[in-house]
Amino acid sequence: MTEREAAINRDLRALDDAHRLGRISRAEYRNRRRRVLQPLSDGGGVVTARKALVPPGSVRAPRSGDPAAASANDSAADAGRALASLVSMRPTFSRKVLLVLTAAAILVVVAGWLVLRH
């Protein structure tokens, strides 16, 4: 991580603390966050989570000679890739953790049943 990125991370943490503690409003938080992140953006068609994500099948096919439709399809493809990356970043339980939790729950139920039985 570069020094510039580290400084931006420090600013974002301070901003997050101010918002979480109620010192600034949500709108002010968003405005300041946008200003802090501005140096990282080149502005050249960057797809972010704030842009509308369009399902790939909902965009019409471009007609020949229709540059606006071709541009819409390109942005829909970018949005689809952004959605896929957002979904892949979602935290999930591993199967091992789920198996251990299920086994522990079964043991607790069996132990409770044995205690009540005697």
Side-chain angles (χ1 to χ4, degrees):
M1 179 181 310
T2 66
E3 181 59 35
R4 184 179 77 170
E5 291 169 339
I8 289 173
N9 278 337
R10 282 191 302 272
D11 291 345
L12 288 174
R13 278 193 294 274
L15 191 58
D16 179 55
D17 288 341
H19 179 256
R20 189 172 30 86
L21 297 173
R23 293 188 296 224
I24 60 174
S25 69
R26 184 176 186 179
E28 180 66 20
Y29 168 78
R30 286 183 173 175
N31 286 335
R32 287 185 185 182
R33 183 176 186 274
R34 195 171 293 121
R35 283 193 304 262
V36 167
L37 293 174
Q38 187 65 37
L40 292 178
S41 172
D42 63 355
V46 177
V47 176
T48 66
R50 296 282 301 158
K51 291 186 178 180
L53 299 176
V54 180
S58 67
V59 178
R60 64 182 173 87
R63 288 178 275 167
S64 59
D66 188 359
S71 173
N73 278 344
D74 289 343
S75 66
D78 289 343
R81 284 190 294 275
L83 178 60
S85 75
L86 288 174
V87 170
S88 69
M89 292 178 355
R90 182 179 59 194
T92 58
F93 275 122
S94 70
R95 289 183 180 169
K96 289 180 183 178
V97 172
L98 195 56
L99 182 63
V100 168
L101 290 176
T102 303
I106 290 171
L107 286 174
V108 168
V109 169
V110 169
W113 178 73
L114 289 174
V115 167
L116 290 176
R117 189 172 157 215
H118 287 80

